[in-house]
Amino acid sequence: MLSVTEAEAIIFNLVQPLNNQYDTEIVDLFAADSRILASVVTSQLDFPHWDNSAMDGYAVRYADVQQATQQQPAILEIIEEIPAGYQPQSTIQKGQAARIFTGAVMPAGADTVIMQEYTQREENRVLILTPPTKPQEFVRQRAAYYQSGTQLLPPGIMLHGSEIAVLATAQCTQVSVYRRPRVAIFSTGNELVAPDQPLQPGQIVDSNQYALAALVRQSGGEPLILGIVPDEPGVLEKAIAYAVSNADIVISSGGVSVGDYDYVEQIVKFLEGKIHIQAVAMKPGKPLTVATFRNQVIYFGLPGNPASTLVTFWRFVQPTIKKLSGLVEGWQPKFIKASTRQELRSDGKRETYIWGKLDLQNGIYKFHLAGGNQSSGNLINLAQTNALAVLSVGQTLVSPGEKVQVLLN
């Protein structure tokens, strides 16, 4: 049985990110949110596009106003008014100024902007009452933020509002992004029924497919739902073979323990899959199968208990999907230290994951233990949780107020 650290290293080393030549697609900028950029973006525009004013005020020559005071103001003739979006028509000469507004193009001859609060206007003249601290004050210089032809955005980043704003400003209305990884999902077990079916004695509603499909989407993947597969070797073999042929990642839940009806591992071997992991020293989530196939498909056989399924997904599968998707940074599991509000216990035999809620109080992260039984079969108290406290092997107690490592979901 592998440690969690050993299992993590094996799994993440198996992941080969999507190819930036063949695994890409072009999307409209409105559809680019949360997609992974596949190629370098450059622009033929400088940012700012031209010298412009950072304030409402007056465009002047620094030499004319550097000695101005309230007692002896510099008096300048106003020769033009320049609102945003207007192309200046005049050149500022000695003793002249232009009324200018934020974002407006600087007129030729001017090199500095005086805030209107430091001036006094008298008809077509302006009195400069306070000198600028330096030349080019309140002037945004052309190409100060970005020079045309250089890298604007690197590949391998996730696009959100700020990046999309940059792309729009660069007039890049279509972008090359990685396709979403295809993730096949199915549940195994004769006892399972779909949520819309009548529940008979001894049967269990299959929640895992629905939870996994949602988590796959949140991780940037595209779920391929294959339904419930009974514990029949022939049917299970067809399901796994289909999934491996049509997805980048396959996730099954159930059928990976040591019961008489647990056939997943033997079928994976029959289909020439190479098994890398069969069990991990973690609680919940010990019965975990990880395999690869010749077409580089990664197979995750997750345990069937709902909490075990979700914990192993958050710990191993979610980072796998993110890395496969082309994300260069930030795909790894995220851990922080938090102060626990309640006592946390473990038998210390395996790395233990305890679900709860993390929030920030007075600058300190606090972990709140989820109420109720922390059984791997108790799905109910997982609702509204967002973090997992992690107790290492040999750690049996974390007292209230003590720090604990927390995995963010």
mmCIF file of all heavy atoms in Angstrom, residues 25-32 37 39-42 159 167-168 170-177:
data_model
loop_
_atom_site.group_PDB
_atom_site.id
_atom_site.type_symbol
_atom_site.label_atom_id
_atom_site.label_comp_id
_atom_site.label_asym_id
_atom_site.label_seq_id
_atom_site.Cartn_x
_atom_site.Cartn_y
_atom_site.Cartn_z
ATOM 1 N N GLU A 25 -8.598 24.432 -30.125
ATOM 2 C CA GLU A 25 -9.748 24.910 -30.891
ATOM 3 C C GLU A 25 -9.806 26.429 -30.778
ATOM 4 O O GLU A 25 -9.248 27.013 -29.853
ATOM 5 C CB GLU A 25 -11.050 24.276 -30.396
ATOM 6 C CG GLU A 25 -11.347 24.509 -28.930
ATOM 7 C CD GLU A 25 -12.534 23.675 -28.435
ATOM 8 O OE1 GLU A 25 -12.883 22.699 -29.107
ATOM 9 O OE2 GLU A 25 -13.080 24.027 -27.375
ATOM 10 N N ILE A 26 -10.470 27.037 -31.741
ATOM 11 C CA ILE A 26 -10.632 28.494 -31.744
ATOM 12 C C ILE A 26 -12.002 28.828 -31.171
ATOM 13 O O ILE A 26 -13.020 28.271 -31.608
ATOM 14 C CB ILE A 26 -10.506 29.071 -33.171
ATOM 15 C CG1 ILE A 26 -9.159 28.669 -33.795
ATOM 16 C CG2 ILE A 26 -10.657 30.585 -33.145
ATOM 17 C CD1 ILE A 26 -7.956 29.218 -33.075
ATOM 18 N N VAL A 27 -12.031 29.721 -30.186
ATOM 19 C CA VAL A 27 -13.303 30.126 -29.590
ATOM 20 C C VAL A 27 -13.435 31.639 -29.642
ATOM 21 O O VAL A 27 -12.447 32.373 -29.639
ATOM 22 C CB VAL A 27 -13.439 29.635 -28.130
ATOM 23 C CG1 VAL A 27 -13.397 28.123 -28.058
ATOM 24 C CG2 VAL A 27 -12.383 30.255 -27.238
ATOM 25 N N ASP A 28 -14.680 32.084 -29.682
ATOM 26 C CA ASP A 28 -14.978 33.511 -29.606
ATOM 27 C C ASP A 28 -14.646 34.021 -28.214
ATOM 28 O O ASP A 28 -14.715 33.277 -27.222
ATOM 29 C CB ASP A 28 -16.460 33.724 -29.909
ATOM 30 C CG ASP A 28 -16.828 35.196 -29.944
ATOM 31 O OD1 ASP A 28 -16.630 35.816 -30.998
ATOM 32 O OD2 ASP A 28 -17.308 35.704 -28.911
ATOM 33 N N LEU A 29 -14.288 35.276 -28.123
ATOM 34 C CA LEU A 29 -13.869 35.845 -26.846
ATOM 35 C C LEU A 29 -14.959 35.745 -25.789
ATOM 36 O O LEU A 29 -14.678 35.556 -24.600
ATOM 37 C CB LEU A 29 -13.454 37.308 -27.051
ATOM 38 C CG LEU A 29 -12.575 37.931 -25.964
ATOM 39 C CD1 LEU A 29 -11.350 37.086 -25.702
ATOM 40 C CD2 LEU A 29 -12.184 39.344 -26.355
ATOM 41 N N PHE A 30 -16.220 35.834 -26.195
ATOM 42 C CA PHE A 30 -17.324 35.701 -25.235
ATOM 43 C C PHE A 30 -17.413 34.298 -24.657
ATOM 44 O O PHE A 30 -18.017 34.089 -23.601
ATOM 45 C CB PHE A 30 -18.654 36.078 -25.888
ATOM 46 C CG PHE A 30 -18.908 37.558 -25.944
ATOM 47 C CD1 PHE A 30 -19.082 38.197 -27.161
ATOM 48 C CD2 PHE A 30 -18.980 38.316 -24.794
ATOM 49 C CE1 PHE A 30 -19.321 39.565 -27.222
ATOM 50 C CE2 PHE A 30 -19.211 39.676 -24.838
ATOM 51 C CZ PHE A 30 -19.382 40.308 -26.060
ATOM 52 N N ALA A 31 -16.830 33.309 -25.345
ATOM 53 C CA ALA A 31 -16.886 31.920 -24.883
ATOM 54 C C ALA A 31 -15.565 31.473 -24.264
ATOM 55 O O ALA A 31 -15.371 30.283 -24.009
ATOM 56 C CB ALA A 31 -17.245 31.001 -26.043
ATOM 57 N N ALA A 32 -14.659 32.408 -24.017
ATOM 58 C CA ALA A 32 -13.305 32.051 -23.595
ATOM 59 C C ALA A 32 -13.126 31.973 -22.081
ATOM 60 O O ALA A 32 -12.065 31.564 -21.608
ATOM 61 C CB ALA A 32 -12.302 33.058 -24.162
ATOM 62 N N LEU A 37 -5.433 29.037 -22.394
ATOM 63 C CA LEU A 37 -4.823 29.592 -23.593
ATOM 64 C C LEU A 37 -3.778 28.633 -24.147
ATOM 65 O O LEU A 37 -2.931 28.126 -23.402
ATOM 66 C CB LEU A 37 -4.184 30.942 -23.261
ATOM 67 C CG LEU A 37 -3.754 31.838 -24.426
ATOM 68 C CD1 LEU A 37 -4.956 32.231 -25.277
ATOM 69 C CD2 LEU A 37 -3.062 33.085 -23.888
ATOM 70 N N SER A 39 -1.714 29.213 -27.042
ATOM 71 C CA SER A 39 -0.574 29.794 -27.754
ATOM 72 C C SER A 39 -0.310 31.211 -27.259
ATOM 73 O O SER A 39 -1.180 31.850 -26.659
ATOM 74 C CB SER A 39 -0.826 29.801 -29.264
ATOM 75 O OG SER A 39 -1.987 30.552 -29.576
ATOM 76 N N VAL A 40 0.891 31.678 -27.529
ATOM 77 C CA VAL A 40 1.272 33.043 -27.146
ATOM 78 C C VAL A 40 0.379 34.049 -27.869
ATOM 79 O O VAL A 40 0.085 33.895 -29.051
ATOM 80 C CB VAL A 40 2.746 33.305 -27.502
ATOM 81 C CG1 VAL A 40 3.087 34.781 -27.315
ATOM 82 C CG2 VAL A 40 3.657 32.447 -26.638
ATOM 83 N N VAL A 41 -0.052 35.073 -27.155
ATOM 84 C CA VAL A 41 -0.814 36.163 -27.765
ATOM 85 C C VAL A 41 0.080 37.403 -27.832
ATOM 86 O O VAL A 41 0.690 37.791 -26.827
ATOM 87 C CB VAL A 41 -2.084 36.483 -26.955
ATOM 88 C CG1 VAL A 41 -2.790 37.711 -27.528
ATOM 89 C CG2 VAL A 41 -3.032 35.294 -26.949
ATOM 90 N N THR A 42 0.177 37.984 -29.025
ATOM 91 C CA THR A 42 0.861 39.259 -29.195
ATOM 92 C C THR A 42 -0.120 40.249 -29.812
ATOM 93 O O THR A 42 -1.187 39.858 -30.291
ATOM 94 C CB THR A 42 2.096 39.128 -30.107
ATOM 95 O OG1 THR A 42 1.664 38.685 -31.405
ATOM 96 C CG2 THR A 42 3.093 38.135 -29.536
ATOM 97 N N LEU A 159 -8.082 31.726 -18.680
ATOM 98 C CA LEU A 159 -8.619 33.045 -19.020
ATOM 99 C C LEU A 159 -9.814 33.380 -18.136
ATOM 100 O O LEU A 159 -10.770 32.604 -18.057
ATOM 101 C CB LEU A 159 -9.034 33.069 -20.492
ATOM 102 C CG LEU A 159 -7.923 32.795 -21.502
ATOM 103 C CD1 LEU A 159 -8.495 32.722 -22.920
ATOM 104 C CD2 LEU A 159 -6.831 33.850 -21.415
ATOM 105 N N LEU A 167 -7.401 40.837 -23.884
ATOM 106 C CA LEU A 167 -7.576 40.342 -25.251
ATOM 107 C C LEU A 167 -8.497 41.250 -26.060
ATOM 108 O O LEU A 167 -8.246 41.521 -27.235
ATOM 109 C CB LEU A 167 -8.125 38.915 -25.213
ATOM 110 C CG LEU A 167 -7.153 37.847 -24.701
ATOM 111 C CD1 LEU A 167 -7.897 36.554 -24.408
ATOM 112 C CD2 LEU A 167 -6.032 37.604 -25.694
ATOM 113 N N ALA A 168 -9.561 41.715 -25.426
ATOM 114 C CA ALA A 168 -10.476 42.621 -26.131
ATOM 115 C C ALA A 168 -9.774 43.923 -26.489
ATOM 116 O O ALA A 168 -9.913 44.433 -27.609
ATOM 117 C CB ALA A 168 -11.705 42.891 -25.264
ATOM 118 N N ALA A 170 -6.722 44.304 -27.070
ATOM 119 C CA ALA A 170 -5.787 44.005 -28.155
ATOM 120 C C ALA A 170 -6.503 43.669 -29.452
ATOM 121 O O ALA A 170 -5.855 43.293 -30.431
ATOM 122 C CB ALA A 170 -4.884 42.852 -27.745
ATOM 123 N N GLN A 171 -7.835 43.768 -29.450
ATOM 124 C CA GLN A 171 -8.671 43.454 -30.614
ATOM 125 C C GLN A 171 -8.519 42.009 -31.054
ATOM 126 O O GLN A 171 -8.622 41.674 -32.229
ATOM 127 C CB GLN A 171 -8.361 44.418 -31.772
ATOM 128 C CG GLN A 171 -8.666 45.871 -31.449
ATOM 129 C CD GLN A 171 -8.468 46.803 -32.629
ATOM 130 O OE1 GLN A 171 -7.518 46.667 -33.389
ATOM 131 N NE2 GLN A 171 -9.384 47.755 -32.787
ATOM 132 N N CYS A 172 -8.281 41.149 -30.063
ATOM 133 C CA CYS A 172 -8.188 39.715 -30.316
ATOM 134 C C CYS A 172 -9.543 39.101 -29.965
ATOM 135 O O CYS A 172 -9.809 38.748 -28.817
ATOM 136 C CB CYS A 172 -7.076 39.112 -29.465
ATOM 137 S SG CYS A 172 -6.814 37.359 -29.715
ATOM 138 N N THR A 173 -10.416 38.974 -30.935
ATOM 139 C CA THR A 173 -11.791 38.543 -30.691
ATOM 140 C C THR A 173 -11.966 37.033 -30.750
ATOM 141 O O THR A 173 -13.007 36.513 -30.356
ATOM 142 C CB THR A 173 -12.746 39.189 -31.697
ATOM 143 O OG1 THR A 173 -12.336 38.831 -33.028
ATOM 144 C CG2 THR A 173 -12.732 40.704 -31.551
ATOM 145 N N GLN A 174 -10.952 36.320 -31.229
ATOM 146 C CA GLN A 174 -10.958 34.862 -31.225
ATOM 147 C C GLN A 174 -9.607 34.383 -30.718
ATOM 148 O O GLN A 174 -8.576 34.952 -31.050
ATOM 149 C CB GLN A 174 -11.233 34.302 -32.625
ATOM 150 C CG GLN A 174 -12.655 34.586 -33.121
ATOM 151 C CD GLN A 174 -12.953 33.848 -34.421
ATOM 152 O OE1 GLN A 174 -12.102 33.782 -35.302
ATOM 153 N NE2 GLN A 174 -14.144 33.304 -34.518
ATOM 154 N N VAL A 175 -9.626 33.326 -29.908
ATOM 155 C CA VAL A 175 -8.387 32.851 -29.305
ATOM 156 C C VAL A 175 -8.259 31.342 -29.455
ATOM 157 O O VAL A 175 -9.261 30.617 -29.512
ATOM 158 C CB VAL A 175 -8.294 33.222 -27.809
ATOM 159 C CG1 VAL A 175 -8.100 34.697 -27.633
ATOM 160 C CG2 VAL A 175 -9.535 32.759 -27.056
ATOM 161 N N SER A 176 -7.024 30.888 -29.505
ATOM 162 C CA SER A 176 -6.733 29.461 -29.550
ATOM 163 C C SER A 176 -6.628 28.939 -28.122
ATOM 164 O O SER A 176 -5.792 29.412 -27.345
ATOM 165 C CB SER A 176 -5.426 29.210 -30.308
ATOM 166 O OG SER A 176 -5.075 27.836 -30.264
ATOM 167 N N VAL A 177 -7.481 27.982 -27.787
ATOM 168 C CA VAL A 177 -7.482 27.397 -26.447
ATOM 169 C C VAL A 177 -7.384 25.880 -26.567
ATOM 170 O O VAL A 177 -7.683 25.297 -27.605
ATOM 171 C CB VAL A 177 -8.756 27.776 -25.665
ATOM 172 C CG1 VAL A 177 -8.840 29.271 -25.448
ATOM 173 C CG2 VAL A 177 -10.012 27.266 -26.376
#
